[in-house]
Structure formats: structure tokens, C-alpha cells
Amino acid sequence: MKYKIMKYTITFFTVAMVAFCFAVDAKPEEKPNVILMMCDDLGWGDTGFNGNKIIKTPHLDRMAEEGAVLSHFYSVGPVCSPTRASFLTGRHYYRLGVWTANVGHLPKEEYTIARMMKANGYTTGHFGKWHVGTLSKTMSPKGEKRKPAVNYAPPWERDYDSSFVTESAVRTWDPAEGKRAKNNPYYENGIVAADNLKGCDSRVLMDRAIPFVQNAVKEDKPFVAVIWFHAPHEDIQAGPEYLKMYEGHGEAAHYYGCITAVDDQVGRLRAELEKLGIADNTALFFCSDNGPEGKEPKDRSKTRRAGSAGDFSGRKRSLLDGGVRVPALALWPNHVAPGSMVDTPMSVLDYLPTVSAMTGAKLLDQRVLDGENILPILVGDKQLHSKSIPFRYGKYAGLVHGKFKLIIESPTDPSNDRLFNLAEDKTESKNVIQEHPEKVQKMRAEILAFLTSAQKSHSGGEYQGNGFLPVDSWKALGAETGRGKKKSAQ
């Protein structure tokens, strides 16, 4: 597959068109539709457009050919819930108290993509996994420890007009069955769903997403749809037709098959956009929420944890790039140049400000954002991401600035700090901290400043009114682990 490197030049005509399309007072019929798709535990190396020679992803590959491959894109969170909180808000999950999976929830005070777009005249929908709060006040698949009443934050109370969601992961085939289905039903607009839950889960959720799109077109309303596939998260099971595609691959056939099933549904969605006549006015984004589950397999045929992080070190739960650098695409006809390869570091934090710029939706002046509008990069107007990308998980905090990543363990003790030149060291195996003392000093100071700002946000410092109480106390860097000498960011 051939791509051309994005050229960061722009003609006067393009500038004029972009300015016209993004005008705040644009007519409703001129506003682009937006579809934001994400897989669960899909590794950087698990798609054809990133070089996988086994897994069939023809529809995603076509998206890559017609839009841009974002080859240096971060989920920010190395596990599910944190990434999802940042995805919807443009704010680091530590500001919200979503430290890890199944912890905390999306505060009602947050200004999300859904809230922003509703205020801009859009109809809003969310389909698939939710995982940023419980969907019932009395039960959770994670039990009482999830504090279902305290963490109740369903999409129908978070500015979505339509939703079809589960609280957490389900089996990728017959999602209403199996151990993950216990206390974890699909809710359709707040009501437990009972029909059309057999077979491929990616098809089941797309069966609800497509009618949402059809109804929006029928009502002549612009829409934003968030589609979060469960695949290829465990429990991993592919249907018979997909297993047949991967005969000879043993247990890995289930992993490969459920990714191809996602790809089929992406193709189905795009075909519907064409049929409805809105494909040229619809922007699509695609990514994963973190790296692949489990250790690097010695023999993929013997495991369903067959994901690939490509050439990168680390996997899910790691701040090394294999845990947080994910496959990503951006497609917006007549705006993003077909076949572009964008190597600028960017992340899910950038979705909200970018959607704002695309649609004219207003941001909140008083709300701190950690992402930035990447539209000028996507359309070729500029090359650099001016904001650094922050990370925080377990005992580690980190920062990507340009092509350098710094990982630290302590706010005061720099002895375990590691600096990697990502342009020269994909595996993050060479600590170049001694070669760049000034850069380390600046990046370390930026990390600590971010954590101070995040702690203020976590306390509710940016929310209007009084009475906000965070669910959990602030998780200070170094507080959990002391001065351990462990060198891995796993």
C-alpha cells in the first residue's frame, strides 16, 4: 500500500475553503457530520494499513487510501476507561479522577463532545462500549466495589440523544451470553435491550448506529456518532464465517476474525453514508483505546491474545509506545489529502478541539484542555503539534514533546528518569537522558506543572458552582510506590 507523506503547504484556495467551512455562522446543512470510531485493545500492528500481512482490513485500508494514516497517534491511557474519558473531553483523565479501568466516572460537569455538539444544533449518539461510569445505580458487572450508585453516569444523562451501550466489555460473539454478560446488558436509550443480540457484536451495535444516522438525515440534522467497538477485547470469539477466513491460524483465528468483523461493519457504515448521499460531508476518525492485551505471544496459534504492537515495546498497561501508540485514521473528503501519512505526535485529547474547529462549535473559555486542534496538521497547513502530550498511570508520569518522551517516577528524585528519542529508538531501549540535560529539565518541569493543574481540576476547581466532591482522593505521583528502582513502564 502506498502513501504520500503529508506536505505542509496550503494554497490560497484551500485556506478560503477551510475558513468558509469552519465559519461559526455556517448554515446547518453545511455543517459536517462527524463519526468517531474506536476499537478496544487493538494493537498498532493489527491493521493492514499499518503493515499487517495476515489480518484482513480492506475497508480500513480504503479509509487510509482516501484519507490520512496518523502513524504517531496516542490513546493517552494505557487501559480502557482513562482513554475514553480523555476522548470525550479533550482533558487528561487524571483531571477527572479516572485513574484506571472501572474507576471513577465522567462527571456531569464536564463539557464533552456530545454537550458541545448539542449546543451547536447536532443530534448525538453513542454506540458500543461506554466504560466511563455505571449504567445502573444498583448493579455493575464489577460488583459492589464499583460503587454503582456513586459512579452512575450513563450516556442518556450525558447529552446523548440516542445510545446503545454496555457498561464494560462483552464477548465479541453473542454479547448477551457468557460470563461478561452478567449484570452487563446492552441498554438502548436507558432500557435493557432484549432483541437482536445474537451473533457478531460489531454487527449488533452497528445495527443501532446506522438507523441513528438514517434518522438524522431524514430529519435534516447534522449528527455526531461515537462508535466504540468491543473488539478485540476479551472475551474474544469470532463467528464461523470469520474463523473460516483464518483456517490454519489456530486460536489466533478468533482474534483475527473479530478484527475483520469490525472492518466489515466500517465498510457497511461507509456504504450507507454513500447511499444516503452524505459521504462527502461526513468526517470519520478511527483509533484504538490502548495497546494489545497480554505478553508478546511466542506462538500466536496457541492464544487468542494474538495482538501486535508493531515494532514498539510494551503492550496494554504500559506507558511505552506499545501500550499507548495505536492505529489511527482521519478521513474528511475534500479536506484531508488522500493517501497522507502524518507522523506528527497527536492523541485522543485532540478530538474535542478539532471537532470544534471543524463544525464551529464553541469551546468553554474557562475549561483547561490538554489537546489541541489538529485540523491544520490534517489539511497540511502546519507540521507541529504545539502542545506536549501528558501521560500518567500507576507509579509513572510521562510527556511526549515532539519526538522525545520522558518518563518519571518521582516528583523530587530524578534518578529513575528515562528519556527516549522516539525518532531513532522505536523500542525505547536507550535512555538518552545524559545527552539532553536541558530538555529533561524543561520536560520534567512541564510534567510536574501538568500534575499540579490536573490536581486542581480533579478537585472541581474549573466547575461552576459549589458542592462538587471527587469520588476518590488525588493520586499523587510516587505516593503509591515510594522509591522503587524498577525500570519498566509496564
Side-chain angles (χ1 to χ4, degrees):
M1 189 174 299
K2 296 181 179 179
Y3 299 101
K4 60 182 179 181
I5 301 298
M6 175 72 79
K7 295 181 179 179
Y8 298 97
T9 58
I10 191 165
T11 65
F12 175 80
F13 175 76
T14 304
V15 172
M17 286 299 293
V18 170
F20 175 79
C21 291
F22 307 149
V24 173
D25 59 352
K27 296 178 181 179
E29 62 267 26
E30 295 171 336
K31 294 178 179 178
N33 306 302
V34 180
I35 299 175
L36 299 155
M37 297 179 286
M38 184 162 67
C39 275
D40 197 344
D41 291 2
L42 183 72
W44 191 94
D46 285 335
T47 64
F49 65 81
N50 273 348
N52 194 292
K53 302 299 184 183
I54 298 174
I55 304 175
K56 299 175 177 66
T57 56
H59 299 291
L60 290 171
D61 297 347
R62 179 186 162 214
M63 272 187 66
E65 293 169 352
E66 296 177 0
V69 174
L70 313 181
S71 63
H72 199 156
F73 190 91
Y74 287 109
S75 61
V76 177
V79 292
C80 306
S81 301
T83 292
R84 295 163 197 278
S86 291
F87 184 119
L88 296 178
T89 63
R91 288 154 58 79
H92 196 277
Y93 48 87
Y94 252 62
R95 296 187 186 277
L96 284 58
V98 183
W99 323 119
T100 187
N102 305 299
V103 169
H105 63 271
L106 180 65
K108 66 180 184 300
E109 293 85 357
E110 278 297 314
Y111 189 71
T112 63
I113 289 175
R115 182 168 296 180
M116 178 180 73
M117 298 300 275
K118 276 182 69 71
N120 196 33
Y122 279 65
T123 185
T124 58
H126 192 109
F127 307 93
K129 193 174 185 180
W130 179 240
H131 219 205
V132 283
T134 63
L135 304 179
S136 166
K137 293 181 180 181
T138 60
M139 71 175 186
S140 166
K142 305 304 177 182
E144 288 301 314
K145 65 180 180 180
R146 185 65 180 100
K147 303 176 183 177
V150 173
N151 288 301
Y152 181 70
W156 54 89
E157 293 189 13
R158 293 296 185 271
D159 301 285
Y160 284 102
D161 298 313
S162 298
S163 59
F164 179 71
V165 293
T166 64
E167 179 184 321
S168 59
V170 294
R171 194 168 66 189
T172 57
W173 184 264
D174 288 344
E177 301 175 11
K179 65 180 185 295
R180 287 191 179 271
K182 183 179 179 181
N183 294 333
N184 192 29
Y186 261 112
Y187 289 84
E188 190 161 14
N189 299 320
I191 299 173
V192 173
D195 299 324
N196 189 18
L197 299 172
K198 298 288 289 183
C200 176
D201 175 69
S202 297
R203 192 269 307 157
V204 166
L205 66 89
M206 193 61 76
D207 279 356
R208 273 70 172 193
I210 285 178
F212 165 79
V213 171
Q214 293 170 332
N215 290 336
V217 173
K218 182 178 180 180
E219 296 174 3
D220 197 25
K221 294 193 69 174
F223 65 85
V224 58
V226 178
I227 302 174
W228 285 352
F229 298 99
H230 292 96
H233 190 291
E234 297 176 328
D235 291 344
I236 303 165
Q237 183 174 335
E241 64 181 293
Y242 294 104
L243 291 176
K244 188 174 182 179
M245 290 183 187
Y246 295 104
E247 287 180 345
H249 290 280
E251 285 296 294
H254 286 278
Y255 187 85
Y256 302 159
C258 72
I259 294 173
T260 299
V262 167
D263 186 81
D264 279 349
Q265 295 307 312
V266 172
R268 177 186 170 201
L269 174 63
R270 293 200 63 200
E272 187 64 27
L273 298 177
E274 293 282 355
K275 181 180 177 181
L276 294 169
I278 59 171
D280 286 347
N281 193 40
T282 302
L284 296 96
F285 295 86
F286 174 86
C287 71
S288 176
D289 65 344
N290 47 248
E293 179 64 272
K295 297 178 180 180
E296 176 66 24
K298 293 181 179 180
D299 183 350
R300 282 181 163 77
S301 69
K302 294 182 179 180
T303 180
R304 298 188 187 188
R305 292 183 169 185
S308 169
D311 295 330
F312 306 108
S313 295
R315 294 167 76 86
K316 184 176 181 179
R317 302 177 189 87
S318 171
L319 291 189
L320 297 176
D321 267 18
V324 289
R325 189 160 167 171
V326 294
L329 300 170
L331 171 65
W332 192 14
N334 304 313
H335 294 81
V336 177
S340 302
M341 177 72 76
V342 182
D343 193 38
T344 301
M346 48 186 63
S347 77
V348 298
L349 291 166
D350 301 322
Y351 281 147
L352 183 142
T354 301
V355 170
S356 168
M358 292 171 61
T359 63
K362 293 181 179 179
L363 300 174
L364 288 185
D365 293 337
Q366 72 275 22
R367 196 59 57 87
V368 176
L369 291 180
D370 297 300
E372 71 172 295
N373 169 24
I374 58 172
L375 187 60
I377 300 173
L378 298 180
V379 302
D381 187 23
K382 75 170 192 174
Q383 181 175 357
L384 298 177
H385 193 289
S386 59
K387 284 191 175 183
S388 300
I389 303 172
F391 301 86
R392 177 74 175 89
Y393 187 71
K395 64 184 287 186
Y396 304 100
L399 195 76
V400 166
H401 182 77
K403 291 296 183 175
F404 284 87
K405 181 197 284 185
L406 179 67
I407 297 176
I408 70 173
E409 299 180 25
S410 166
T412 56
D413 179 6
S415 62
N416 286 340
D417 290 1
R418 287 166 291 154
L419 181 72
F420 303 114
N421 183 342
L422 301 175
E424 300 175 357
D425 180 18
K426 283 187 176 183
T427 60
E428 295 168 90
S429 56
K430 183 181 178 182
N431 187 354
V432 295
I433 200 163
Q434 299 300 326
E435 300 172 25
H436 304 276
E438 292 184 3
K439 182 178 292 292
V440 171
Q441 185 178 13
K442 290 180 180 178
M443 291 179 71
R444 173 173 255 278
E446 188 173 352
I447 291 173
L448 297 179
F450 158 72
L451 292 175
T452 297
S453 175
Q455 184 175 9
K456 179 181 177 181
S457 298
H458 171 256
S459 70
E462 297 162 69
Y463 298 151
Q464 298 293 322
N466 299 315
F468 174 80
L469 292 174
V471 175
D472 296 313
S473 59
W474 173 252
K475 302 294 185 183
L477 179 64
E480 309 97 321
T481 56
R483 294 177 178 268
K485 299 297 182 181
K486 187 177 180 182
K487 293 293 184 181
S488 170
Q490 295 289 347

